[in-house]
PDB file of all heavy atoms in Angstrom:
ATOM      1  N   GLY A1063     -26.135   4.839 -32.053  1.00  0.00           N
ATOM      2  CA  GLY A1063     -27.372   5.611 -32.028  1.00  0.00           C
ATOM      3  C   GLY A1063     -28.600   4.872 -32.491  1.00  0.00           C
ATOM      4  O   GLY A1063     -29.706   5.416 -32.449  1.00  0.00           O
ATOM      5  N   LYS A1064     -28.455   3.613 -32.940  1.00  0.00           N
ATOM      6  CA  LYS A1064     -29.594   2.847 -33.432  1.00  0.00           C
ATOM      7  C   LYS A1064     -29.747   1.560 -32.635  1.00  0.00           C
ATOM      8  O   LYS A1064     -28.768   0.991 -32.167  1.00  0.00           O
ATOM      9  CB  LYS A1064     -29.418   2.517 -34.917  1.00  0.00           C
ATOM     10  CG  LYS A1064     -29.365   3.748 -35.812  1.00  0.00           C
ATOM     11  CD  LYS A1064     -29.197   3.354 -37.271  1.00  0.00           C
ATOM     12  CE  LYS A1064     -29.132   4.589 -38.182  1.00  0.00           C
ATOM     13  NZ  LYS A1064     -28.945   4.205 -39.599  1.00  0.00           N
ATOM     14  N   GLU A1065     -30.998   1.110 -32.497  1.00  0.00           N
ATOM     15  CA  GLU A1065     -31.247  -0.117 -31.757  1.00  0.00           C
ATOM     16  C   GLU A1065     -30.608  -1.297 -32.478  1.00  0.00           C
ATOM     17  O   GLU A1065     -30.707  -1.438 -33.698  1.00  0.00           O
ATOM     18  CB  GLU A1065     -32.760  -0.347 -31.607  1.00  0.00           C
ATOM     19  CG  GLU A1065     -33.094  -1.560 -30.742  1.00  0.00           C
ATOM     20  CD  GLU A1065     -34.574  -1.703 -30.505  1.00  0.00           C
ATOM     21  OE1 GLU A1065     -35.326  -0.752 -30.860  1.00  0.00           O
ATOM     22  OE2 GLU A1065     -34.998  -2.761 -29.986  1.00  0.00           O
ATOM     23  N   PHE A1066     -29.919  -2.139 -31.691  1.00  0.00           N
ATOM     24  CA  PHE A1066     -29.195  -3.277 -32.250  1.00  0.00           C
ATOM     25  C   PHE A1066     -29.869  -4.562 -31.780  1.00  0.00           C
ATOM     26  O   PHE A1066     -30.029  -4.795 -30.582  1.00  0.00           O
ATOM     27  CB  PHE A1066     -27.735  -3.235 -31.790  1.00  0.00           C
ATOM     28  CG  PHE A1066     -26.880  -4.344 -32.342  1.00  0.00           C
ATOM     29  CD1 PHE A1066     -26.635  -4.454 -33.697  1.00  0.00           C
ATOM     30  CD2 PHE A1066     -26.315  -5.284 -31.485  1.00  0.00           C
ATOM     31  CE1 PHE A1066     -25.834  -5.463 -34.209  1.00  0.00           C
ATOM     32  CE2 PHE A1066     -25.523  -6.311 -31.974  1.00  0.00           C
ATOM     33  CZ  PHE A1066     -25.283  -6.403 -33.343  1.00  0.00           C
ATOM     34  N   LYS A1067     -30.270  -5.402 -32.735  1.00  0.00           N
ATOM     35  CA  LYS A1067     -31.023  -6.613 -32.403  1.00  0.00           C
ATOM     36  C   LYS A1067     -30.119  -7.820 -32.145  1.00  0.00           C
ATOM     37  O   LYS A1067     -30.573  -8.842 -31.639  1.00  0.00           O
ATOM     38  CB  LYS A1067     -32.000  -6.961 -33.548  1.00  0.00           C
ATOM     39  CG  LYS A1067     -33.054  -5.893 -33.796  1.00  0.00           C
ATOM     40  CD  LYS A1067     -33.997  -5.777 -32.614  1.00  0.00           C
ATOM     41  CE  LYS A1067     -35.126  -4.801 -32.914  1.00  0.00           C
ATOM     42  NZ  LYS A1067     -36.061  -4.678 -31.768  1.00  0.00           N
ATOM     43  N   GLY A1068     -28.855  -7.681 -32.493  1.00  0.00           N
ATOM     44  CA  GLY A1068     -27.951  -8.819 -32.336  1.00  0.00           C
ATOM     45  C   GLY A1068     -27.413  -8.940 -30.922  1.00  0.00           C
ATOM     46  O   GLY A1068     -27.970  -8.408 -29.960  1.00  0.00           O
ATOM     47  N   ARG A1069     -26.307  -9.674 -30.785  1.00  0.00           N
ATOM     48  CA  ARG A1069     -25.669  -9.878 -29.497  1.00  0.00           C
ATOM     49  C   ARG A1069     -24.396  -9.034 -29.397  1.00  0.00           C
ATOM     50  O   ARG A1069     -23.764  -8.744 -30.411  1.00  0.00           O
ATOM     51  CB  ARG A1069     -25.322 -11.359 -29.310  1.00  0.00           C
ATOM     52  CG  ARG A1069     -26.525 -12.275 -29.304  1.00  0.00           C
ATOM     53  CD  ARG A1069     -26.087 -13.731 -29.227  1.00  0.00           C
ATOM     54  NE  ARG A1069     -25.238 -14.078 -30.381  1.00  0.00           N
ATOM     55  CZ  ARG A1069     -24.663 -15.269 -30.533  1.00  0.00           C
ATOM     56  NH1 ARG A1069     -24.834 -16.209 -29.607  1.00  0.00           N
ATOM     57  NH2 ARG A1069     -23.921 -15.521 -31.592  1.00  0.00           N
ATOM     58  N   ILE A1070     -24.035  -8.695 -28.182  1.00  0.00           N
ATOM     59  CA  ILE A1070     -22.810  -7.923 -27.974  1.00  0.00           C
ATOM     60  C   ILE A1070     -21.599  -8.693 -28.476  1.00  0.00           C
ATOM     61  O   ILE A1070     -20.650  -8.114 -29.010  1.00  0.00           O
ATOM     62  CB  ILE A1070     -22.639  -7.569 -26.489  1.00  0.00           C
ATOM     63  CG1 ILE A1070     -23.775  -6.644 -26.051  1.00  0.00           C
ATOM     64  CG2 ILE A1070     -21.305  -6.898 -26.227  1.00  0.00           C
ATOM     65  CD1 ILE A1070     -23.712  -6.261 -24.588  1.00  0.00           C
ATOM     66  N   SER A1071     -21.616 -10.001 -28.312  1.00  0.00           N
ATOM     67  CA  SER A1071     -20.472 -10.816 -28.723  1.00  0.00           C
ATOM     68  C   SER A1071     -20.260 -10.800 -30.234  1.00  0.00           C
ATOM     69  O   SER A1071     -19.205 -11.199 -30.723  1.00  0.00           O
ATOM     70  CB  SER A1071     -20.652 -12.258 -28.236  1.00  0.00           C
ATOM     71  OG  SER A1071     -21.860 -12.807 -28.740  1.00  0.00           O
ATOM     72  N   ASP A1072     -21.294 -10.311 -30.990  1.00  0.00           N
ATOM     73  CA  ASP A1072     -21.143 -10.218 -32.443  1.00  0.00           C
ATOM     74  C   ASP A1072     -20.301  -9.019 -32.861  1.00  0.00           C
ATOM     75  O   ASP A1072     -19.898  -8.922 -34.026  1.00  0.00           O
ATOM     76  CB  ASP A1072     -22.532 -10.111 -33.105  1.00  0.00           C
ATOM     77  CG  ASP A1072     -23.368 -11.367 -32.875  1.00  0.00           C
ATOM     78  OD1 ASP A1072     -22.759 -12.439 -32.704  1.00  0.00           O
ATOM     79  OD2 ASP A1072     -24.611 -11.250 -32.844  1.00  0.00           O
ATOM     80  N   ILE A1073     -20.075  -8.120 -31.927  1.00  0.00           N
ATOM     81  CA  ILE A1073     -19.346  -6.888 -32.246  1.00  0.00           C
ATOM     82  C   ILE A1073     -17.859  -7.090 -31.978  1.00  0.00           C
ATOM     83  O   ILE A1073     -17.470  -7.514 -30.898  1.00  0.00           O
ATOM     84  CB  ILE A1073     -19.863  -5.704 -31.412  1.00  0.00           C
ATOM     85  CG1 ILE A1073     -21.379  -5.562 -31.596  1.00  0.00           C
ATOM     86  CG2 ILE A1073     -19.154  -4.416 -31.797  1.00  0.00           C
ATOM     87  CD1 ILE A1073     -21.997  -4.548 -30.658  1.00  0.00           C
ATOM     88  N   LYS A1074     -17.026  -6.789 -32.962  1.00  0.00           N
ATOM     89  CA  LYS A1074     -15.582  -6.910 -32.803  1.00  0.00           C
ATOM     90  C   LYS A1074     -15.073  -5.871 -31.804  1.00  0.00           C
ATOM     91  O   LYS A1074     -15.390  -4.692 -31.910  1.00  0.00           O
ATOM     92  CB  LYS A1074     -14.871  -6.712 -34.144  1.00  0.00           C
ATOM     93  CG  LYS A1074     -15.280  -7.699 -35.224  1.00  0.00           C
ATOM     94  CD  LYS A1074     -14.784  -9.099 -34.926  1.00  0.00           C
ATOM     95  CE  LYS A1074     -15.083 -10.059 -36.065  1.00  0.00           C
ATOM     96  NZ  LYS A1074     -14.644 -11.433 -35.783  1.00  0.00           N
ATOM     97  N   SER A1075     -14.285  -6.323 -30.854  1.00  0.00           N
ATOM     98  CA  SER A1075     -13.787  -5.388 -29.844  1.00  0.00           C
ATOM     99  C   SER A1075     -12.880  -4.326 -30.436  1.00  0.00           C
ATOM    100  O   SER A1075     -12.804  -3.206 -29.936  1.00  0.00           O
ATOM    101  CB  SER A1075     -13.028  -6.158 -28.751  1.00  0.00           C
ATOM    102  OG  SER A1075     -11.891  -6.811 -29.299  1.00  0.00           O
ATOM    103  N   ASP A1076     -12.190  -4.677 -31.544  1.00  0.00           N
ATOM    104  CA  ASP A1076     -11.293  -3.705 -32.170  1.00  0.00           C
ATOM    105  C   ASP A1076     -12.054  -2.524 -32.747  1.00  0.00           C
ATOM    106  O   ASP A1076     -11.482  -1.452 -32.971  1.00  0.00           O
ATOM    107  CB  ASP A1076     -10.479  -4.372 -33.286  1.00  0.00           C
ATOM    108  CG  ASP A1076      -9.490  -5.397 -32.727  1.00  0.00           C
ATOM    109  OD1 ASP A1076      -9.184  -5.296 -31.524  1.00  0.00           O
ATOM    110  OD2 ASP A1076      -9.045  -6.273 -33.484  1.00  0.00           O
TER     111      ASP A1076
END
Side-chain angles (χ1 to χ4, degrees):
K1064 297 180 180 179
E1065 185 175 350
F1066 182 64
K1067 298 294 185 180
R1069 298 175 300 177
I1070 295 179
S1071 58
D1072 296 332
I1073 306 172
K1074 301 290 185 182
S1075 63
D1076 292 340

